[in-house]
Amino acid sequence: MIKFLDLKAVNDRYEPGVSKAVQRVIDSGWYLLGHAVSAFEEEFSRYLGVKYCVGVANGLDALRLILKAYLEMGIMQEGDEIIVPANTYIASILAITDNRLIPVLVEPDLNTYNIDPSRVEEKITAKTRGIMIVHLYGQNSMHPEIQRIADKYDLKLIEDNAQAAGAYYHDKKTGAIGHAAGHSFYPGKNLGALGDGGAVTTNDEELSCVIRALANYGSSKKYVNDYQGLNSRLDEIQAAVLRVKLKKLDVDNDRRREIARYYEANIDSNTISLPLHGRGEGSHVWHLFVVRSSNRDGLQKYLFGNGIQTLIHYPIPPHKQLAYKEWNHLSFPITEKIHETVLSLPMGPHLSDHEMKNIVRIINKFEVLSI
C-alpha cells in the first residue's frame, strides 16, 4: 500500500538530526520558552524575510491571536467583518468567529481553488476591517487585485500560511506578504513538527509584542497580566525539531514540485481535472496535489483497491457544517462543486520515483475501467 502520507518515512529522512535535537532539549532541563524556541523564531523569520516571529501552540491559535491582538489594539472591534475564502479548511473561519468578528465568505477560482480576486471588492462594506487570504494546498493566493483592494480600503491583510511554507509571491515568500501571517507546523505540513505547533510572523513590532503577551496568559512580565490572554506556546522540543527540518525545507519543496510536474505531465484521463497554477514555478509548494473527478468516490475506491491511499480535502465546506448551521441554507456553488469532486493524491518528499510512476500508471487505467 502506498500511503497517502507516511510520516515515519518523512521523519526518518532527518535522522539522526531530529533525535539528537530532541535529546539536547531533554538534557537541558528547560522545556518552555527557552533557547530552541527563540532560535527557531529567529531562523524562521530570517527564512521568510520578516522582522518578527512568535511561536505558538498551533496554526489555529496563530490566526486567533492575530485577530485578538488587533482587537486589543483597537484596530478592530467585535462585529467587524473579515473577508475569507468560502473554500478553506474551517480553521480559517473559526479564528474569526472565535473573536466575535464576522466572516464574509467569497467564492474561489475553480482553477486554483483559492479565493477569486475578482469577487472580493463586491463584498466590502463599512464594517470590513480585513482580508484573510488562504494559500490553500500550498499555492500562493495573493494577487495584485487583492493588494489594490487592501490599500484602497485600508484593510489588514492576514495570511493563513498553514499549507504553503516556502512558497513565493513574486520576490516575497508567503508569510511575509501581508500585515501578519499564521503558520501551522502540524506533522503533515511541509514544515512539520512531531506534534502541534504554530507561529505568527509580521513586520509590525507592536503587533508581535501584543501577540507574544496574549499567547502567554496575557503577560509580558511574570505574574503581571495586561490582557485576558491564552496559553498558547510553541514548546522547546517541537522548536528543536523544526530547526532541523527548516534547513531542508527548500530541498523538500523542490522534490514536491518534481512529483507534481510528473503528475501533470503524465496523468492522462478525460475523467480527471488536474490542478492549475499560473503564478510562477515558486508560487506552489504542493502541500497537496488535488485533482477533481465527477466520479470522485469511484476513483478513490478504485485506487485503494489497487494499493493507493488518497484523502479528501475537504468533504464538507464550512458553510455546510453543523458548527455554522445558520449558514447551511447558503449557496456557494463553486465551493460546493470543489468539495464534491476533489481528491488528494499521495504527495511528499519521501515518495519514490517508483511509487510516483505506479500511481500514474494505475490512475490512467481508471478511465478505461469506468466506461
Side-chain angles (χ1 to χ4, degrees):
M1 174 67 71
I2 300 175
K3 294 181 180 179
F4 172 74
L5 179 61
D6 187 340
L7 284 176
K8 186 178 186 306
V10 168
N11 289 316
D12 282 350
R13 299 168 55 257
Y14 301 98
E15 291 296 0
V18 164
S19 293
K20 288 181 177 178
V22 170
Q23 192 61 52
R24 281 195 297 270
V25 173
I26 293 171
D27 292 343
S28 76
W30 194 283
Y31 309 125
L32 283 171
L33 302 180
H35 169 74
V37 169
S38 60
F40 172 72
E41 289 175 343
E42 180 180 342
E43 291 161 6
F44 193 52
S45 61
R46 186 165 59 247
Y47 171 81
L48 293 178
V50 295
K51 293 180 180 178
Y52 308 105
C53 173
V54 182
V56 299
N58 54 68
L60 172 56
D61 276 4
L63 297 173
R64 290 170 68 206
L65 285 160
I66 292 168
L67 296 171
K68 189 173 178 64
Y70 280 138
L71 288 163
E72 293 287 357
M73 295 164 67
I75 292 170
M76 297 179 184
Q77 60 184 4
E78 291 184 9
D80 283 344
E81 296 174 351
I82 306 293
I83 288 173
V84 65
N87 181 50
T88 184
Y89 183 56
I90 199 169
S92 313
I93 295 170
L94 288 171
I96 298 170
T97 57
D98 184 66
N99 282 288
R100 296 183 174 84
L101 298 166
I102 308 301
V104 177
L105 307 183
V106 176
E107 284 269 57
D109 180 333
L110 183 61
N111 293 314
T112 66
Y113 309 126
N114 276 322
I115 194 168
D116 186 339
S118 70
R119 296 174 180 263
V120 173
E121 191 163 18
E122 65 191 41
K123 299 286 188 172
I124 302 288
T125 74
K127 295 181 75 64
T128 307
R129 294 293 178 270
I131 302 173
M132 183 181 291
I133 56 173
V134 182
H135 305 302
L136 197 66
Y137 305 151
Q139 180 165 205
N140 159 62
S141 65
M142 187 53 178
H143 188 277
E145 176 66 2
I146 294 173
Q147 188 66 64
R148 183 192 70 80
I149 293 167
D151 292 342
K152 178 180 178 180
Y153 296 97
D154 193 24
L155 304 177
K156 293 300 181 185
L157 181 61
I158 301 161
E159 298 174 74
D160 181 341
N161 198 45
Q163 299 185 5
Y168 275 90
Y169 171 65
H170 300 317
D171 61 344
K172 288 187 175 181
K173 286 193 174 81
T174 58
I177 300 167
H179 294 97
H183 308 261
S184 170
F185 306 126
Y186 181 80
K189 296 296 196 290
N190 292 34
L191 180 60
L194 298 185
D196 278 322
V200 175
T201 54
T202 181
N203 286 312
D204 184 332
E205 183 178 12
E206 181 184 4
L207 180 68
S208 72
C209 290
V210 174
I211 288 171
R212 191 175 294 281
L214 284 170
N216 187 34
Y217 299 97
S219 172
S220 54
K221 181 180 179 182
K222 195 164 186 177
Y223 303 131
V224 177
N225 300 81
D226 298 318
Y227 310 104
Q228 295 177 26
L230 310 174
N231 175 19
S232 181
R233 300 174 299 200
L234 182 65
D235 73 65
E236 286 286 288
I237 286 179
Q238 303 305 341
V241 171
L242 292 167
R243 291 185 70 198
V244 174
K245 291 189 169 188
L246 180 59
K247 295 172 184 176
K248 292 186 66 175
L249 178 57
D250 287 341
V251 172
D252 288 349
N253 283 342
D254 283 343
R255 174 57 179 167
R256 289 174 180 270
R257 293 185 182 109
E258 185 180 356
I259 294 166
R261 284 195 296 268
Y262 185 84
Y263 282 163
E264 290 175 318
N266 293 283
I267 292 176
D268 185 17
S269 172
N270 291 330
T271 66
I272 296 170
S273 298
L274 298 175
L276 299 180
H277 59 104
R279 298 181 189 171
E281 173 73 5
S283 68
H284 209 319
V285 293
W286 300 102
H287 171 59
L288 299 173
F289 191 94
V290 181
V291 301
R292 288 189 294 113
S293 173
S294 58
N295 188 14
R296 185 263 307 281
D297 295 342
L299 175 60
Q300 184 176 42
K301 183 178 180 181
Y302 161 78
L303 291 174
F304 187 79
N306 283 272
I308 300 170
Q309 183 185 39
T310 60
L311 291 180
I312 299 170
H313 295 89
Y314 303 94
I316 306 172
H319 71 281
K320 294 298 183 182
Q321 297 281 1
L322 183 59
Y324 293 106
K325 55 183 178 294
E326 67 274 18
W327 295 347
N328 288 175
H329 69 286
L330 298 178
S331 175
F332 291 93
I334 301 173
T335 295
E336 289 158 23
K337 181 176 183 178
I338 288 171
H339 286 254
E340 289 165 359
T341 58
V342 289
L343 189 66
S344 300
L345 303 183
M347 169 58 75
H350 64 291
L351 206 65
S352 70
D353 285 354
H354 173 75
E355 290 172 322
M356 173 181 74
K357 292 175 181 178
N358 197 38
I359 289 165
V360 170
R361 180 182 61 80
I362 292 170
I363 286 175
N364 287 342
K365 291 182 178 180
F366 175 68
E367 185 174 6
V368 175
L369 294 172
S370 62
I371 293 174

